[in-house]
Amino acid sequence: MQIFKSDINTLVSTKMLMEGVHFDLTYIDLQHLGYKAAMIGMNDIFAGGGTPRTVIISLGLSKRFQEPETEALYDGAKMACEKWNVTLEEGDKTASLTGLAVNVTCIGEANDDDIIPQDGAKETNLLCVSGDLGAAYMGLMLLEREKKVYYEQLKEGKINKDEAWQPDFAGKEYLIQRQMEPEARGDILKKLREAGIHPTSMVALSSSLSSAIINICKASNTGCRLFEKFIPIDYQTAVMAEELNMNLTTCAVNGGDDQELLFTCPIGDNETLQEMEGIKVIGHITKPELGLQLVARDGNEFEIKKLNN
């Protein structure tokens, strides 16, 4: 995200989403894709302490996409923008030889006092996160599993290609919602301001928790301690991880796509933060020479590494 300073600061965020890398049209329709893209852009502005004003979506289109389909994508983005009173603009459309490409630019504004940098973390600051982690990744794993089942049944002739096929997601609806319909966390920013808390640094969790922690600590020249026992995880996420025989903490720390906010605050805000719903203190900032460590439930420490982007 870039900040252009004047009487009121302009914040600009740009994200590129590529078919086959960031989304799979086998299980996400264009309306949901547009909704998610707009929310990702707006969340970046909230992470900078700003108010999103305009979302611009440009598309790279292969020959298989027609006008009605692209309108569905913009309809989804419009629904997301209306939640935050943000203007949606249709950007450029150009040909693509590698599938669908979605470029999201979000423009926002903020007063000097409201801006939250990425590089402002200080030693003894608390490390905090909004919402819960790992659910979006578990939603993706569930969709990938059902996609595999679909193609296996298609290959075996158990279903017809033209036949409607609906997998059973009963009891796992939250995981699907977190993957398909994430929400920008402007509500968390508002809650912090109402409590008189000004984070020293903040980033949006568009990638993984591990990547976001590394980004903040590298930019701020600090270390950190992340405590496994404090990482917020939803019940459905835990059940799905067990069903897939996956390590739950690994899913929450390295899964990604949660679209939450990771931020640091002065230690004096601890009591207020502990009482705030939807916010969890998960660690603290340390001297850079102490490194970036995940403290397991048994007290052992492991280096936090960036496993995805």
Side-chain angles (χ1 to χ4, degrees):
M1 182 183 66
Q2 291 180 296
I3 300 173
F4 301 92
K5 294 197 171 185
S6 59
D7 292 339
I8 187 165
N9 300 295
T10 299
L11 284 63
V12 180
S13 169
T14 300
K15 297 287 186 181
M16 178 66 82
L17 307 178
M18 302 297 296
E19 183 179 356
V21 179
H22 303 102
F23 61 89
D24 187 333
L25 293 176
T26 303
Y27 46 70
I28 186 169
D29 60 86
L30 290 178
Q31 188 174 70
H32 278 96
L33 178 59
Y35 183 94
K36 182 173 183 177
M39 285 296 183
I40 289 173
M42 290 186 287
N43 210 36
D44 246 13
I45 300 300
F46 286 131
T51 300
R53 298 299 187 195
T54 303
V55 167
I56 305 169
I57 295 183
S58 299
L59 302 174
L61 300 164
S62 65
K63 292 182 179 180
R64 74 181 193 272
F65 293 101
Q66 303 299 321
E67 187 69 21
E69 294 171 307
T70 60
E71 286 306 310
L73 188 148
Y74 284 114
D75 285 345
K78 183 179 180 181
M79 284 189 285
C81 289
E82 286 176 346
K83 288 189 173 184
W84 294 103
N85 195 29
V86 172
T87 301
L88 174 67
E89 299 287 348
E90 294 189 17
D92 188 29
K93 295 186 182 74
T94 188
S96 169
L97 299 178
T98 57
L100 178 62
V102 182
N103 178 270
V104 185
T105 298
C106 188
I107 302 171
E109 58 186 29
N111 295 316
D112 282 342
D113 293 342
D114 291 331
I115 287 181
I116 306 172
Q118 183 175 312
D119 60 355
K122 301 290 191 297
E123 185 184 345
T124 75
N125 275 183
L126 303 172
L127 186 65
C128 311
V129 71
S130 65
D132 58 80
L133 304 177
Y137 181 66
M138 285 293 93
L140 177 62
M141 293 298 98
L142 175 58
L143 289 165
E144 286 286 351
R145 185 183 71 177
E146 294 306 308
K147 173 186 173 182
K148 183 178 179 180
V149 170
Y150 169 74
Y151 281 117
E152 286 177 350
Q153 292 188 358
L154 196 64
K155 183 178 180 180
E156 295 170 2
K158 295 180 179 180
I159 58 174
N160 189 291
K161 187 175 182 180
D162 299 322
E163 178 183 345
W165 186 76
Q166 178 61 50
D168 183 13
F169 294 135
K172 300 179 175 68
E173 295 86 354
Y174 179 66
L175 305 181
I176 300 301
Q177 181 268 323
R178 290 281 283 172
Q179 174 58 221
M180 303 276 280
E181 297 181 13
E183 298 294 331
R185 299 312 309 263
D187 59 318
I188 294 296
L189 190 61
K190 179 181 178 182
K191 187 177 292 188
L192 290 170
R193 285 176 176 164
E194 289 175 345
I197 295 175
H198 188 86
T200 54
S201 66
M202 182 180 284
V203 295
L205 290 180
S206 54
S207 57
S208 65
L209 175 65
S210 58
S211 294
I213 288 175
I214 291 171
N215 290 341
I216 282 182
C217 291
K218 182 177 180 180
S220 306
N221 190 31
T222 67
C224 79
R225 288 294 182 276
L226 166 67
F227 293 89
E228 180 184 23
K229 63 183 178 180
F230 295 141
I231 298 173
I233 298 173
D234 184 79
Y235 174 75
Q236 286 189 25
T237 303
V239 171
M240 192 68 207
E242 183 177 1
E243 188 175 322
L244 296 177
N245 196 29
M246 299 178 73
N247 181 276
L248 182 58
T249 299
T250 300
C251 293
V253 174
N254 295 317
D257 213 15
D258 287 303
Q259 308 308 328
E260 294 292 344
L261 298 175
L262 176 74
F263 54 98
T264 57
C265 292
I267 194 170
D269 293 325
N270 183 53
E271 186 175 345
T272 303
L273 288 165
Q274 294 289 355
E275 295 176 354
M276 294 179 73
E277 185 177 356
I279 292 174
K280 188 78 171 179
V281 178
I282 57 174
H284 61 265
I285 300 299
T286 65
K287 296 178 180 179
E289 54 266 29
L290 296 178
L292 283 64
Q293 302 293 326
L294 168 66
V295 182
R297 295 178 188 277
D298 61 6
N300 287 321
E301 296 187 2
F302 303 90
E303 182 183 359
I304 298 173
K305 297 180 180 180
K306 183 180 289 189
L307 298 182
N308 71 324
N309 293 305

